[in-house]
């Protein structure tokens, strides 16, 4: 079992903040097949379509038959930890601060031998499951976990370097007025977040969920309007140094396409709430998150973007909304590069139609706010970067991978 | 008749005429009118810094602002309402500028409103006021002194499950103002000139319907009405010259005779 994490003491405000470092993160283009799998939490290695060899590390040709037909496919992750060692001295600045660091070789049941980071409960000679994770540099690495879950296993310090577990971290939910915002506050509270800041704009406008929101443990309502630069800046100035995870729940969903909408008022609003709102949050909270990427047990860890899966392919019935979501996705990709030096993950969570009023006329399957919130918490616990929630999102992901043009035409019907 | 404008200027300078600001500060937090979310919305006041003596503009500070025509303390032109849409010179850019200066009759119903946020102004209430202060002069603004501007924002907006609860006029009294008293316009401290539940009146939103239908004006989100006398104040309310504008945020000033009391 893992030594349970202790809630960190209050930080001595006179202490220097440790600056974030990153492990070496250069990978070949082919090896980014592992990055893509790790980002989505899949365990995928190359498989030779001609001779069935499972290939690791990634290569451009099959080492057995020289075939170039070697796509990444999900494979079984079981194996045996055949040998382990611990790095005690190193010139690498990142690992120097973290020695001793256990590594080992895992013989996978599907064939290859993989050098992997080791969870504290992975035992030499024992069965393990291998996972691909994104390390602080955003690159895929393998970590061997014990075959069966062990007590407090998420608290393992090596594993926690690769995840964004909300436990003992302080979270900002940017808009508590929506069903998603309220479900998110509940999910993060349940996941052991130390403080759940919940933003609220126009407090003079009553809403049904207010009483329920106040009842959630460790929720602190704070004034925040993502359309108001001053409001966003003020919150970051006051509380930015004690916010480790930002989840942007600000939402603006209206039906209507680009041609068949009357005027630009709605478009301006959705861009202001969603795209400019994201930029305001990024500018106010990004620099402090990046600076605090190695600030102890409750270091800054993640910025979560909730995006319609139709950011990836326009759905004309909600076409104007989708276009704004696409802008947000592009901004999120930029943020990812900008926050990487701090080891802060930018998570994109793609969802299909939500089970809320603004999708009232859309038939099921729909994603409930609670399901979306659970998916976000699980993604952070696992250290994912790209998450697809619900059947529609998964369906769009798969169809997009096969034939984007066909999907474009099909969405128009 | 000769008019001594210099004497007027001296009286303003030495305080014989007091200038009272009836305007709320344009700020991001100040409530704007709330409509059902699927309808078009009035933009709240927002401000983006262009530069502040920094690399974006080394020696100067300035902002870009955005807001609706009906954000903050603002003026309603007749074209704002369907009843005034076909009148001549009905937009803020075409109204005769002399109309931007007019006297005011200030009706105090602050006690009644403190007791009841659904206080509705009636003809008998105004007749009692006239019994004390004299008949409302033609082409006067009627300003409703409710002290609503002193409310915290939650009570100011007065939003409940069934909509807004804020004081305002009944249909009959608005019709009477324009037909029997030839008023210049109607001004309030609340977010709109109409009663909070004014959509249930016949006609709905009578202050807008009757005032603008007769080419009269509206002022809302006023403050400091408690500093005005019942009669005798002169209001300066000149909206921005927006091409075919339906209204405009503006600075509303009241001139009141008498030294610093
Ligand atoms: Zn092969």
């Amino acid at each position: 079992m893992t030594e349970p994490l202790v809630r960190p003491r209050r930080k001595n405000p006179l202490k220097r903040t440790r600056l974030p470092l990153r492990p070496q993160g250069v990978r070949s283009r082919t090896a980014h097949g592992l990055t893509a799998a790790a980002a989505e939490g899949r365990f995928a290695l190359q498989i030779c379509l001609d001779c069935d060899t499972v290939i690791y590390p990634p290569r451009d040709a099959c080492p057995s038959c020289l075939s170039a037909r070697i796509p990444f496919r999900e494979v079984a992750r079981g194996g045996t930890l055949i040998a382990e060692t611990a790095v005690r001295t190193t010139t690498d600045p990142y690992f120097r601060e973290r020695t001793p660091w256990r590594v080992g070789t895992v013989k996978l049941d599907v064939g290859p031998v993989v050098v992997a980071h080791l969870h504290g409960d992975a035992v030499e000679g024992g069965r393990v499951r291998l996972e691909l994770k994104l390390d602080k540099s955003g690159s895929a690495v393998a970590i061997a976990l014990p075959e069966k879950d062990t007590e407090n296993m998420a608290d393992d310090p090596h594993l926690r370097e690769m995840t964004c577990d909300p436990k003992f971290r302080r979270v900002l939910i940017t808009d508590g007025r929506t069903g998603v915002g309220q479900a998110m506050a509940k999910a993060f509270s349940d996941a052991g977040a130390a403080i759940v800041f919940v933003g609220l704009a126009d407090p003079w406008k009553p809403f049904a969920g207010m009483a329920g929101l106040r009842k959630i443990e460790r929720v602190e309502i704070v004034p925040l309007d993502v359309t108001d630069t001053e409001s966003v800046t003020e919150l970051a100035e006051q509380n930015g140094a004690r916010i480790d995870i930002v989840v942007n729940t600000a939402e603006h969903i209206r039906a209507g396409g680009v041609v068949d909408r009357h005027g630009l008022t709605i478009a301006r609003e959705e861009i202001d709430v969603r795209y400019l709102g994201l930029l305001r949050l990024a500018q106010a909270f990004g620099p402090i998150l990046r600076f605090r990427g190695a600030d102890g047990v409750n270091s800054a860890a993640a910025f979560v973007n909730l995006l319609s899966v139709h950011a990836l392919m326009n759905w004309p019935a909600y076409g104007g909304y989708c276009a704004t979501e696409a802008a947000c996705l592009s901004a999120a990709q930029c943020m990812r590069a900008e926050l990487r030096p701090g080891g802060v993950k930018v998570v994109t969570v793609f969802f299909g139609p939500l089970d809320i009023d603004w999708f009232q006329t859309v038939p099921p399957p729909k994603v409930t706010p609670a399901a979306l919130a659970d998916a976000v918490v699980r993604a952070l616990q696992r250290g994912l970067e790209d998450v697809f929630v619900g059947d529609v999102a998964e369906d769009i992901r798969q169809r997009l991978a096969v034939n984007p043009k066909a999907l474009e035409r099909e969405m128009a019907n | 008749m000769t008019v001594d404008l210099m004497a007027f200027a001296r009286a303003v300078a030495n305080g014989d005429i007091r200038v009272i600001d009836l305007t709320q500060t344009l700020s991001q937090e100040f409530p704007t009118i709330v409509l059902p979310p699927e309808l078009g919305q009035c933009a709240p006041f927002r401000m983006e810094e262009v530069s502040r003596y920094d690399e974006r503009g080394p020696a100067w500070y300035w902002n870009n602002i955005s807001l609706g025509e009906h954000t903050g303390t603002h003026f309603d032109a007749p074209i704002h309402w369907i009843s005034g849409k076909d009148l001549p010179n009905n937009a803020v850019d075409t109204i005769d500028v002399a109309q931007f200066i007019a006297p005011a009759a200030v009706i105090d119903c602050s006690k009644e409103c403190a007791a009841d946020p659904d206080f509705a102004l009636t003809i008998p209430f105004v007749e009692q006021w006239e019994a004390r202060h004299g008949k409302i002069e033609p082409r006067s603004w009627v300003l409703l002194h409710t002290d609503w501007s002193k409310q915290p924002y939650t009570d100011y907006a007065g939003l409940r499950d069934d909509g807004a609860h804020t004081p305002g006029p009944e249909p009959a009294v608005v019709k009477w103002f324009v037909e029997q008293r030839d008023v210049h316009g109607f001004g309030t401290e609340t977010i709109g000139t109409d009663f909070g539940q004014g959509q249930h009146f016949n006609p709905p939103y009578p202050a807008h319907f009757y005032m603008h239908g007769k080419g009269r004006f509206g002022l809302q989100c006023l403050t400091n009405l408690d500093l005005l006398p019942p009669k005798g104040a002169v209001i300066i309310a000149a909206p921005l010259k927006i091409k075919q504008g339906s209204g405009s945020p503006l600075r509303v000033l009241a001139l009141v005779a008498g030294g610093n009391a």
Side-chain angles (χ1 to χ4, degrees), chain A residues 47-53 55 61-67 69-70:
Chain A
I47 299 184
C48 178
L49 297 183
D50 291 308
C51 74
D52 293 338
T53 304
I55 303 162
C62 172
S64 308
C65 75
L66 294 180
S67 167
R69 303 200 309 140
I70 48 171

Side-chain angles (χ1 to χ4, degrees), chain A residues 17 118 136 146 155 209 221 287 298 346 374:
Chain A
T17 299
L118 301 183
K136 290 277 187 198
D155 293 353
I221 310 266
N298 51 9
V346 174
D374 284 347

